[in-house]
Amino acid sequence: MSDNSRKIRLVMELRRAGINDTDVLSAIERVPREIFVPETFRDRAYEDTALPIACGQTISQPYVVAFMTAALQLRKRMLVLEIGTGCGYQTAVLSPLVRRVYTIERQRELLVEATRRFKELGLTNVVTRFGDGFKGWPEVAPVDRILVTAAAKEIPQVLVDQLSEGGMMIIPVGGPGNQEILRVTRREGRVETEPLMPVRFVPMLGGTEG
Ligand code: SAH
């Protein structure tokens, strides 16, 4: 089976699993996941599963990428901050849906590779940064949306502070074995928190490597 028919089958699976945002589904359909996975797993690029990448990290499961992207309720004019670029797959899915994606990664080797892929795909609205996502990106704040793709022990206040009024953050929170994806909305100085789904992500770590 070709990558393209595998990809179409994956999109049908996501639809059956309850992802019904057509903009999100077509973004998934546009992104060649095979270029984001290591050579040895290339034949499994369109399975709905997480896979290992370099530096002991993972490429997220397509269902989780689709779910989190849909949960962000994106609009074309929005600025989005992503913490945890990894291989860059989630970033590439966000790119066609919004005005600009700012993405931060703490492992230099991963960021270099991801940046090369964004260039190869012509994703000119993606801006990358090597750094510690716990600090956010103060120079571009406030942003409309924040997506964190590593699990934090608690909601980082620094990131909440970089959201615009009415802004939302999607973030997995918790320790090993009891994480869940939260939607955090900033409204009139208050913060509303909504649990969305149990998950398993690699941990969010402080500092940088490489
Ligand atoms: N978004 C990726 C999944 C990334 S896995 C995808 O589409 O598949 C989580 C990533 O978060 C890892 O690459 C890890 O290095 C990174 N990470 C963990 N803590 C971080 C932090 N404080 N700042 C920036 N990146 C972080």
Side-chain angles (χ1 to χ4, degrees), residues 57-60 65 82-91 104-107 110 131-134 149-150 202-206:
Q57 303 302 315
T58 52
I59 174 169
S60 300
V65 170
E82 179 192 30
I83 310 296
T85 319
C87 63
Y89 178 67
Q90 169 77 70
T91 323
I104 306 179
E105 171 57 53
R106 66 179 291 281
Q107 298 260 12
L110 294 179
D132 178 359
F134 277 116
T149 69
V202 295
M204 193 173 174
L205 303 171

Side-chain angles (χ1 to χ4, degrees), residues 65-87:
V65 170
F67 181 91
M68 290 177 109
T69 309
L72 281 167
Q73 302 176 5
L74 299 171
R75 298 287 169 273
K76 201 73 201 174
R77 61 177 163 73
M78 288 181 170
L79 303 181
V80 179
L81 170 61
E82 179 192 30
I83 310 296
T85 319
C87 63

Side-chain angles (χ1 to χ4, degrees), residues 1-3 5-6 9:
M1 200 188 287
S2 71
D3 276 337
S5 32
R6 285 186 171 127
R9 198 174 57 177

Side-chain angles (χ1 to χ4, degrees), residues 30-122:
R30 276 166 73 157
V31 179
R33 193 165 183 262
E34 70 274 12
I35 74 164
F36 293 87
V37 305
E39 198 68 50
T40 42
F41 293 111
R42 223 144 262 193
D43 57 330
R44 300 182 58 190
Y46 292 103
E47 289 179 15
D48 187 18
T49 172
L51 293 167
I53 61 168
C55 307
Q57 303 302 315
T58 52
I59 174 169
S60 300
Q61 181 189 351
Y63 175 75
V64 174
V65 170
F67 181 91
M68 290 177 109
T69 309
L72 281 167
Q73 302 176 5
L74 299 171
R75 298 287 169 273
K76 201 73 201 174
R77 61 177 163 73
M78 288 181 170
L79 303 181
V80 179
L81 170 61
E82 179 192 30
I83 310 296
T85 319
C87 63
Y89 178 67
Q90 169 77 70
T91 323
V93 171
L94 291 171
S95 164
L97 298 171
V98 297
R99 181 145 61 96
R100 187 157 296 143
V101 185
Y102 298 95
T103 185
I104 306 179
E105 171 57 53
R106 66 179 291 281
Q107 298 260 12
R108 191 186 294 277
E109 181 187 336
L110 294 179
L111 191 67
V112 167
E113 277 297 292
T115 306
R116 188 188 52 71
R117 294 184 183 107
F118 302 148
K119 208 166 168 200
E120 179 184 337
L121 295 174

